[in-house]
Structure formats: structure tokens, C-alpha cells
Amino acid sequence: MWYITVRSPEGEPKQYTVKPGSNVIGRLSYSDIYIEDISASRRHADLTFDPVTDSLVIADLDSKNGTFVNRQHIRQAICLQASDVIRIGNCTITLTHYQANHSSAVAAGPHRHTRELLLESLDQHAVLIYDVARQLNTVLDLETALGEVSALMKRAMGAERCEVILADRFDQIHELGFPETIARKAIEERATIIIPEMSTTSNNVSDSARLYRVRSLLCVPILSSDSILGLIYMVKTEPEQRPFDQRDLQLAIAISHQAALTIQRMYLLESLKKQQQMQNMLRRFLSPQEAEFLLHEYLQRGSLPELRAQEVTVLFADIADSTGYAERHGPERFGALLERYYHDTTDIIFANGGLIRLMGDGIMAVFGTTHSFADPVGRAVQAGLELIEKVKTSSPYQEEEIVIGAGINNGPAMAGYVGTQERVEFTVLGDTVNVAFRMQDYARPNRLVISHNTALALAGKFETARLGEVNVRGRTEPIHIFEVLRARAD
């Protein structure tokens, strides 16, 4: 007895028993073997079965697009073998000869993914795999891709259940309603496991199968070189359904190969997306060159520099009486002022090699964390002077009678990036930061105040004036502060 299985990209496989005599294949709904494909003619080909000689002959019926056997366009009637593959349009037709039992014979158990087996699988199902690849290549997120793989395999092999599980969920296999022993074996041996009839397996496996009402199963690892990306498992539970066979094994391996390519593409897209998000985030408070430097670090190490002790120079600058200004002029005018202030201060800080964080009505700038620029203390002071000069001489700030104050301190601090996988921010912590922040109170109107440490580090590059000792909230001892007047001419 012969039966044939018709597979198409659009639907589940259909099985037909070949009756003695003529069996017309075509697009007519009452054809002996119905082909639901626009490329098929209404009467496309004829299969003739001679039960006396147990032979099966196919002939093309002058179809428009031709009939292909083993990728060869047939011009006359030919005798078929059990291993032959017929293609009509996008549909493939495979043969099963129960007596010869050539194509359906498949050994239950593991089948290692050798290069030869993969190439044979891709070759035998080239048309279906082309359509699978075309569908998967349009998917842009991993969850949708896994759903597509599952739907494609269910449809291609007529499975009642099919699920794709990624490697990071392998510890949840026992919750999936699938024999865990078989899944673990497929993972450990990197092999596809097929069991056409569960009743023929050992007691421990068949007991598990009865628990899940499994009649026939396929378990396919998704492999990429020597690593395993995931696992695909399929089951059939209905007694009247045909069991998984050699063709299903080949098709499962071929689709798992496409799944591996798709998952790798999703991981690459996700990596590029994270890189873009990281780059956008860094450019919010870094100069372009600093952003590129840190992005390079991130790509090499997989993370941004964490909080660690280092020598930094910190600058704070805020607008005096910003609350009163907002009350007098309204939020829209205050918002426009802040936007201009942020724009001007960012340009100045970036030009001097600093990092910037916007903080309400002010900014915090940090110099010396990435070691990309020499003399971070001198650059911070130069940036502070430029900020003061901008506010004192720029007409928009003069018209609004805006006053700022800037404080700078250098020393040890904890500096780095903190946050979650979705959100990361740069921060700097410690007494050095607190002192710089509090010195703003002594820097108005439009003055730049530095600590004693910073004055010593300038090594005479700027003219300064001693302001004396002041008390800083959060410290028990007073500190010496200086006003920076200008850069020395020499």
C-alpha cells in the first residue's frame, strides 16, 4: 500500500491513501489529491497505482507550471520510488510505501545533528524552508519569532502541540507538560529525539508519556556551532493521526536550523538596540568623544564602569532664586530660560571634556573620570569661568537679570554608573561632591568659588583671591575658599 503526504507553507500536511488505478492531482476541489496552490493546474498530474506489480507511476497532465520529481521537470510518465519527492508549485509530496517501508522507517531515539544530516534535511525540504525563512526574516522581536517557529512546525507536521523553549528556561522543563527525561537527553546529546510510537518505548518513558497523553513525539535542539540556543518539542496525542516519520525528522532539523539563525539575528538586533540606547543615554550628559570612549568600553566589557573610588573634579552651578523667577514670570518663560541655560552650559562643559548632569535649576559637571583629557582641574575651572562670563555678557540672561553661582572642588569620590538593565545613570558621591555643592552659596552673584585643594592643584594657572574660612553644611570643620578671577595671561 502507498500513501502520500502533501505539505504546503499555508496549511497542515494532508495524507492520502493511493487507490488502485488513476489518482488525479489538481486544484479542483474534488480531485483525488487536492492541491491548494494557485500555481497548480486544475488537473495537474496523475498517479497511477498498479496493485498487481505494486508500482506507482506519475505523469504530468499538460500543466501550466510543470511537475517536478527530485527537482527534475518530468516530460513523460516515470515510475516512482519510496524516496522520491514530488513538487507542484509550493507544495511538496512525499511517498510512503508500507511494504517496502523505505521513507517512513525511522529509528526511535536520538539522531545526532551531523553536517550530512542537516544538508540532507535542507535539500529534501528546500521549498518549505524557503518559505519558512521568508516568514521569519520579517520578524523583529524574539517573542514573535518563537511564536512563528512554533506555528510553522505545528502546521508543517500536523502536531497538536509545539513549543519553543530558550536555553535560559531549561530549568523550567518539568513545568511544560513534556517528558523531562527525553528533553534532557536531547539537550545533553545535542541530538533530535523521535519516538514514532510511544507504546514501543521503555516503561519509564512510556509512563511519563501516558501521563501527558503523548502518542508520538519529536524533540529538537536549536544549535549554533557548539552551543545550544533552545529546544523545540512537538507531540501528537490523537490515535488516528499518523506518527512522526523520517520526513518529519528531516523537516524538524531543517526548521530548527532556521530557528537558530532567527534567534541569533534577534540577539544581534537586541544587542544593537541596547548599544543605541546606551549611546543615546551617554550623549545626554557626555561630549561626543567621551560617549564614544565609554561606548567602546561597554562593548568590550559588557557594562559601563561601576561605582569606584577615583580622583575627580566636581563643578556645580545653579540659578539664584529660580523659584521666585518661576513665580513671577510663569512656568513657560521659566522653562524657556532653563532650556537656554542647559544648552549653553552643556556646550561649555563638553568643550572642556566634562560629564554633565542636569539638576532642576542647575547642573553638575564632573571632570577626570575617563582620563581622556589632561588637567581635569584646570579644565573644570576654565569651564566655570566661561559659564560665569556667558551669564554676565549674554543679552538673554542680562534682560532676565539672571544670577548664578558656581563652586568647584576636587578630591576622592565614588564615581560610576548605577541603575537597572533598562535605565542607567552616571553619579558621583562623597564629601568632595558635598563641598562643591555647598560652595555655590558663597558664589553669588556670578562668581566662581573653589576649595583650598583646587587652588593648590591649579599651580598658578589662574588668578585667585582668598575669601577666608566658611562653614559647610555636613562638615564639622570649616574650609578655606577662593574666588577665581581670571586665567593668567602667561
Side-chain angles (χ1 to χ4, degrees):
M1 177 183 293
W2 292 81
Y3 73 77
I4 66 172
T5 303
V6 180
R7 290 184 170 90
S8 71
E10 287 74 27
E12 294 184 1
K14 296 179 180 178
Q15 185 175 306
Y16 297 88
T17 301
V18 181
K19 61 181 178 60
S22 173
N23 296 263
V24 175
I25 306 173
R27 194 156 45 87
L28 290 173
S29 58
Y30 53 81
S31 300
D32 298 308
I33 300 167
Y34 176 52
I35 299 292
E36 190 175 2
D37 190 308
I38 194 170
S39 300
S41 299
R42 289 181 296 173
R43 289 174 52 86
H44 195 101
D46 179 76
L47 278 176
T48 302
F49 174 42
D50 184 348
V52 177
T53 59
D54 195 23
S55 60
L56 193 62
V57 175
I58 187 169
D60 186 77
L61 299 179
D62 295 324
S63 64
K64 181 178 179 180
N65 294 310
T67 302
F68 296 79
V69 176
N70 301 329
R71 296 181 300 279
Q72 298 296 318
H73 189 182
I74 63 171
R75 306 293 181 181
Q76 57 187 7
I78 64 169
C79 189
L80 295 171
Q81 306 296 320
S83 58
D84 291 338
V85 177
I86 305 165
R87 180 176 69 80
I88 294 176
N90 289 323
C91 295
T92 57
I93 301 174
T94 56
L95 311 173
T96 300
H97 191 194
Y98 272 119
Q99 291 181 0
N101 203 25
H102 289 157
S103 66
S104 62
V106 58
H111 294 255
R112 295 297 299 273
H113 282 214
T114 62
R115 180 175 180 272
E116 290 71 25
L117 179 57
L118 174 60
L119 292 176
E120 179 189 2
S121 301
L122 293 171
D123 183 62
Q124 290 292 328
H125 299 278
V127 176
L128 281 174
I129 294 304
Y130 169 80
D131 194 75
V132 169
R134 181 178 58 81
Q135 294 183 53
L136 292 179
N137 284 341
T138 62
V139 180
L140 297 178
D141 69 276
L142 186 56
E143 184 176 353
T144 303
L146 298 182
E148 282 290 320
V149 171
S150 177
L152 285 166
M153 297 197 81
K154 280 180 67 176
R155 188 165 63 242
M157 281 167 277
E160 278 93 17
R161 288 174 45 215
C162 177
E163 184 165 342
V164 183
I165 176 172
L166 294 178
D168 59 4
R169 291 182 56 211
F170 281 170
D171 59 342
Q172 304 172 22
I173 287 177
H174 63 282
E175 303 172 4
L176 300 178
F178 184 82
E180 185 175 358
T181 304
I182 294 174
R184 295 292 177 193
K185 189 178 182 66
I187 294 169
E188 292 168 5
E189 298 189 13
R190 305 291 198 269
T192 292
I193 295 180
I194 182 170
I195 301 182
E197 292 287 350
M198 292 300 300
S199 58
T200 63
T201 62
S202 60
N203 290 335
N204 59 333
V205 176
S206 60
D207 288 345
S208 177
R210 279 193 294 271
L211 177 65
Y212 299 121
R213 296 181 58 246
V214 175
R215 173 174 170 259
S216 182
L217 68 80
L218 254 173
C219 192
V220 193
I222 304 173
L223 301 176
S224 174
S225 299
D226 294 331
S227 62
I228 181 165
L229 303 178
L231 193 70
I232 306 171
Y233 68 86
M234 291 162 286
V235 299
K236 294 187 178 186
T237 59
E238 300 301 326
E240 63 273 10
Q241 279 208 311
R242 67 173 183 83
F244 291 119
D245 59 20
Q246 178 70 24
R247 299 288 185 183
D248 294 315
L249 171 70
Q250 293 174 340
L251 185 55
I253 291 173
I255 295 180
S256 75
H257 177 68
Q258 289 299 318
L261 298 177
T262 300
I263 292 171
Q264 288 177 308
R265 180 169 61 87
M266 294 298 103
Y267 286 159
L268 177 60
L269 288 175
E270 186 64 25
S271 175
L272 292 174
K273 181 180 177 182
K274 288 181 179 179
Q275 290 178 29
Q276 186 62 51
Q277 290 174 339
M278 188 65 64
Q279 194 170 42
N280 292 339
M281 183 272 296
L282 291 174
R283 285 177 174 170
R284 288 169 48 206
F285 53 86
L286 290 175
S287 62
Q289 57 267 38
E290 293 289 296
E292 291 300 324
F293 169 79
L294 283 177
L295 185 61
H296 178 72
E297 289 288 302
Y298 172 76
L299 295 178
Q300 283 196 328
R301 299 170 45 186
S303 64
L304 290 171
E306 299 176 348
L307 279 174
R308 62 183 180 87
Q310 52 186 310
E311 288 286 323
V312 298
T313 304
V314 183
L315 178 154
F316 281 96
D318 70 345
I319 299 173
D321 191 29
S322 59
T323 303
Y325 180 94
E327 184 179 357
R328 293 190 300 272
H329 299 291
E332 290 186 6
R333 189 168 170 180
F334 181 56
L337 173 69
L338 272 184
E339 185 176 0
R340 172 175 288 275
Y341 180 68
Y342 288 156
H343 184 273
D344 290 340
T345 55
T346 298
D347 285 347
I348 291 171
I349 298 302
F350 283 178
N352 287 280
L355 288 71
I356 191 169
R357 278 193 63 183
L358 309 179
M359 306 177 67
D361 61 354
I363 60 104
M364 177 183 74
V366 184
F367 299 79
T369 58
T370 60
H371 311 292
S372 298
F373 293 87
D375 188 20
V377 178
R379 287 181 174 276
V381 173
Q382 180 62 38
L385 286 176
E386 292 178 18
L387 288 175
I388 299 297
E389 186 67 15
K390 187 73 174 180
V391 171
K392 288 170 64 176
T393 60
S394 179
S395 57
Y397 298 114
Q398 289 181 317
E399 292 171 2
E400 300 291 348
E401 298 180 344
I402 295 303
V403 170
I404 70 168
I408 295 177
N409 187 27
N410 68 296
M414 295 295 292
Y417 295 83
V418 296
T420 65
Q421 191 173 15
E422 290 75 26
R423 179 178 175 82
V424 180
E425 290 213 6
F426 175 82
T427 192
V428 58
L429 307 169
D431 181 63
T432 298
V433 183
N434 179 55
V435 170
F437 179 75
R438 298 302 177 188
M439 285 194 303
Q440 294 174 105
D441 297 337
Y442 304 96
R444 304 183 183 99
N446 297 330
R447 302 165 76 190
L448 173 61
V449 173
I450 63 175
S451 69
H452 183 255
N453 287 344
T454 304
L456 291 175
L458 290 177
K461 297 176 183 177
F462 295 84
E463 293 184 17
T464 62
R466 182 187 173 106
L467 300 179
E469 291 185 343
V470 297
N471 293 312
V472 174
R473 192 189 316 170
R475 292 184 113 245
T476 57
E477 299 293 329
I479 64 169
H480 296 274
I481 63 172
F482 299 76
E483 181 182 359
V484 180
L485 303 177
R486 63 188 65 84
R488 289 191 183 274
D490 56 355

